[in-house]
Amino acid sequence: MQPATRDPIYLDHSATTPVWPEVVDAMQEFFADSYGNPSSIHAAGRSAYAGLQKARSSIAAHIGAGPSEIIFTGCGTEGNNAALRGISLARRAATGANRIVSTAIEHHAVLETLEDLAELHGFEPVLLPVDGLGRVAPSDLEEALQEPTALVSCMYANNEVGTVQPLAELGEICEAASVPLHTDAVQALTREPVSVDALKVAALSVSAHKFHGPKGVGFLYLRRSTPFRPYMTGGGHEGGRRAGTENVPLIVGMAKALDLCMANAADEATRLQALRDELITNLLEGIEGAHLTGSRQDRLSHHASFVFDGLEAESILIGLDMAGIMASSGSACTSGAHQPSHVLSAMGIDPPASYGAIRFSLGRDTSGTDVEYVVRQMQRITQQLQAAQAFAM
Ligand code: PLP
């Protein structure tokens, strides 16, 4: 095959996104000029503090929160750890409740933390099942909350299959049971509407690199009245909830990226949804043995994920890469690990079917021409692999 001569097509925005030039520009000032420690009282410290607080207010406004309800973190994983550990420990101390209700399809940052909380602190995690499309049933949550519960944690949208949960409905159930709801909104913010009051969430974790901000920064929204035991102890930063000097340049970059994304989030979601649907329809029609994973309706606007009968994701991804297309086999964290996906297993898709899982996640630069090219290449690659398999039999 000829090496690819066209511009590469990046379709792995659920793994990470390119940092936009305006975001780099916004950070530059806080690396070079306003480099003070935001806790210092001199001029350099004050200008860093001003940048930090401006970023805090602007981020808070985008999700309908108050500035003091934003805790800056190092990543989405940290936000999930903070919420699960900080709220569960404080709630158990206050109420005696020992159960944490979550779902079988959470990111490892939640699932591993739940295991740790069980092992280290004796918590009892309860994982709700999902249906074949990756959806949690509100009635299952209602039933689970019949027993005293310290915390509920349910992701807003799934990274592997793109399914969006009925979070506002789950929030209402939690509110009625007086149990705080945490959501991992790492994949959802800028793609789905996020208002902390409408969703009735007590905590929400976010990561900047999923929306064109830098890696290594995120935030946790924590509702004012929510019991919380600080998990990073030290100085009194972040209202005593997360000690450590704030990374002002990255935080400013995250705020800028969020501003840029939110400026036309609805229009961009509509544009991407049309491209996504074209990709889904044409791949399902054009490739024998292709199946969509996750919900067709309740799905992230930029996300299309599939399994291909009898094929391995790795061979498809290599073929795509050679054709200049960057995609992934599901979550960036488990791809390459050669382990069956816990998300697909929970949806009833077990190996060997799950070994052929491919995820395309579109972005700001994705065009209709790109989608047509991807469909053509996918047809060629899968046909070649199917032919090679038939020959080997
Ligand atoms: N939660 C979800 C749903 C994710 O998709 C990811 C990353 O892919 C994370 C958490 C972890 O975020 P971070 O990479 O910022 O630690």
Side-chain angles (χ1 to χ4, degrees):
M1 204 191 87
Q2 293 293 313
T5 50
R6 59 190 342 273
D7 281 346
I9 299 175
Y10 183 77
L11 295 183
D12 203 11
H13 292 82
S14 289
T16 198
T17 53
V19 180
W20 279 333
E22 299 94 317
V23 172
V24 176
D25 286 350
M27 290 193 289
Q28 182 59 25
E29 180 197 334
F30 290 87
F31 282 120
D33 304 321
S34 302
Y35 50 77
N37 185 320
S39 300
S40 299
I41 51 173
H42 49 61
R46 285 199 310 276
S47 65
Y49 182 75
L52 180 68
Q53 294 306 78
K54 191 171 161 224
R56 194 187 302 281
S57 297
S58 124
I59 287 171
H62 282 301
I63 60 168
S68 65
E69 295 174 308
I70 303 297
I71 302 172
F72 291 121
T73 62
C75 54
T77 299
E78 185 187 330
N80 286 341
N81 266 264
L84 289 168
R85 294 174 194 278
I87 300 174
S88 299
L89 286 166
R91 279 266 301 164
R92 185 169 70 181
T95 66
N98 198 44
R99 281 155 47 103
I100 308 172
V101 173
S102 189
T103 83
I105 58 162
E106 297 297 312
H107 190 270
H108 287 294
V110 166
L111 292 178
E112 299 278 319
T113 305
L114 287 175
E115 269 181 33
D116 198 50
L117 281 167
E119 226 175 277
L120 261 183
H121 298 286
F123 279 98
E124 189 196 334
V126 175
L127 297 184
L128 301 179
V130 292
D131 66 13
L133 303 179
R135 294 172 309 192
V136 175
S139 56
D140 284 345
L141 177 62
E142 235 162 1
E143 203 181 312
L145 293 186
Q146 296 302 312
E147 292 195 38
T149 302
L151 174 69
V152 173
S153 181
C154 177
M155 71 198 324
Y156 195 169
N158 185 267
N159 44 311
E160 290 189 40
V161 297
T163 300
V164 177
Q165 300 298 340
L167 203 63
E169 208 179 324
L170 303 180
E172 259 176 38
I173 294 168
C174 290
E175 189 179 68
S178 302
V179 178
L181 170 64
H182 161 254
T183 191
D184 173 346
V186 166
Q187 293 290 341
L189 185 64
T190 75
R191 305 199 179 275
E192 291 295 316
V194 174
S195 148
V196 292
D197 285 346
L199 295 175
K200 300 194 187 313
V201 289
L204 175 141
S205 14
V206 167
S207 179
H209 73 96
K210 306 291 184 180
F211 53 85
H212 303 279
K215 294 170 188 61
V217 66
F219 69 87
L220 173 69
Y221 157 77
L222 184 68
R223 192 175 286 278
R224 209 161 284 116
S225 53
T226 311
F228 186 77
R229 190 190 157 99
Y231 60 105
M232 284 264 280
T233 46
H237 311 85
E238 298 301 292
R241 295 163 301 184
R242 199 269 194 183
T245 302
E246 292 89 349
N247 194 333
V248 182
L250 298 199
I251 290 167
V252 167
M254 168 164 66
K256 180 70 184 178
L258 192 55
D259 280 349
L260 292 170
C261 283
M262 296 308 256
N264 71 342
D267 288 349
E268 182 59 3
T270 308
R271 187 187 78 85
L272 286 176
Q273 202 168 316
L275 290 177
R276 174 203 74 184
D277 288 345
E278 196 183 316
L279 180 63
I280 293 175
T281 305
N282 291 340
L283 283 188
L284 292 182
E285 281 175 6
I287 297 178
E288 213 185 300
H291 308 275
L292 183 73
T293 55
S295 170
R296 184 123 194 194
Q297 255 80 49
D298 303 320
R299 175 170 209 106
L300 287 169
S301 54
H302 73 307
H303 190 293
S305 54
F306 305 86
V307 286
F308 297 91
D309 287 346
L311 299 182
E312 293 241 346
E314 207 174 351
S315 314
I316 301 174
L317 289 174
I318 292 170
L320 285 171
D321 197 31
M322 287 174 73
I325 300 163
M326 290 173 259
S328 85
S329 67
S331 90
C333 314
T334 47
S335 56
H338 287 294
Q339 275 175 0
S341 150
H342 68 283
V343 175
L344 295 182
S345 297
M347 290 163 54
I349 306 170
D350 286 316
S354 61
Y355 287 144
I358 299 285
R359 175 183 75 186
F360 297 101
S361 41
L362 286 48
R364 208 49 75 104
D365 292 337
T366 313
S367 66
T369 320
D370 292 342
V371 170
E372 281 166 29
Y373 177 71
V374 170
V375 171
R376 277 202 311 278
Q377 292 304 318
M378 277 298 290
Q379 282 174 317
R380 180 186 60 76
I381 293 163
T382 51
Q383 274 166 13
Q384 278 175 358
L385 291 172
Q386 282 159 351
Q389 263 183 359
F391 184 71
M393 277 202 210

